[in-house]
Amino acid sequence: MVRDREDLADDERGPDEVGAWARIGQLLAGSGGVYAPDADAMVQDELAADAERERTRQLEHERRLQEEKVEAARRAALAPDVLRHALLRTLARTGLLDSHRKDERAAVSRLPEFDPAVALAVNALLARPHEAGVGLRPRAGVRDLLSG
């Protein structure tokens, strides 16, 4: 067989291809001359490896899709209109909305467009004490301290 395939001697695939043909020849000799890929362990190993690579590729694709969904949800949560509404809702729940001056309301309205991450953090800082039951209306002196 090697003599019949001397053209493959300089080809890097040559030894592998000659070996594959020798293996197939042995399979044919043992099966009465009929080749059956189902009985070829090397073919079955290659098919199993291909299936595993495809499964890994599918899992990676699904993981990337999930990450994209999470990122899209995060971006949607940071949309200025969504954040503005959340801030105003939190300020209303805490009773702080009524005590804001016109310029403070304007600042709250602009904050989500200026820096969405800061708006999200401010909203969380305002909501946390209120949800814990300690978020009381500020005393008049507190606002003076904060604005001074």
Side-chain angles (χ1 to χ4, degrees):
M1 180 175 280
V2 174
R3 189 180 63 225
D4 294 338
R5 299 304 304 201
E6 286 178 359
D7 59 317
L8 296 174
D10 293 333
D11 187 343
E12 64 186 42
R13 296 175 306 160
D16 291 336
E17 193 169 321
V18 169
W21 281 112
R23 183 181 50 74
I24 290 172
Q26 290 173 347
L27 284 171
L28 291 174
S31 66
V34 177
Y35 176 75
D38 293 344
D40 190 337
M42 187 166 211
V43 168
Q44 294 306 310
D45 289 346
E46 288 174 2
L47 290 173
D50 288 347
E52 180 60 24
R53 277 190 296 278
E54 178 60 21
R55 188 181 77 75
T56 300
R57 189 192 67 75
Q58 289 267 342
L59 288 173
E60 179 63 23
H61 178 69
E62 289 173 14
R63 185 189 63 76
R64 274 194 312 271
L65 285 177
Q66 185 62 31
E67 285 176 355
E68 288 171 7
K69 284 182 183 178
V70 167
E71 179 63 16
R74 187 188 72 77
R75 286 180 187 261
L78 292 177
D81 291 339
V82 173
L83 285 173
R84 186 177 299 105
H85 179 71
L87 273 170
L88 292 173
R89 187 178 60 236
T90 299
L91 288 169
R93 276 192 355 233
T94 59
L96 295 172
L97 187 61
D98 299 334
S99 64
H100 277 110
R101 296 184 315 250
K102 188 176 180 179
D103 61 329
E104 292 170 333
R105 282 184 190 235
V108 167
S109 183
R110 286 190 314 266
L111 182 60
E113 291 171 14
F114 177 70
D115 193 336
V118 169
L120 191 61
V122 166
N123 188 55
L125 289 171
L126 290 171
R128 215 173 287 136
H130 179 71
E131 290 168 359
V134 295
L136 302 175
R137 291 184 75 143
R139 289 176 270 140
V142 173
R143 187 168 61 175
D144 295 337
L145 287 173
L146 293 175
S147 64

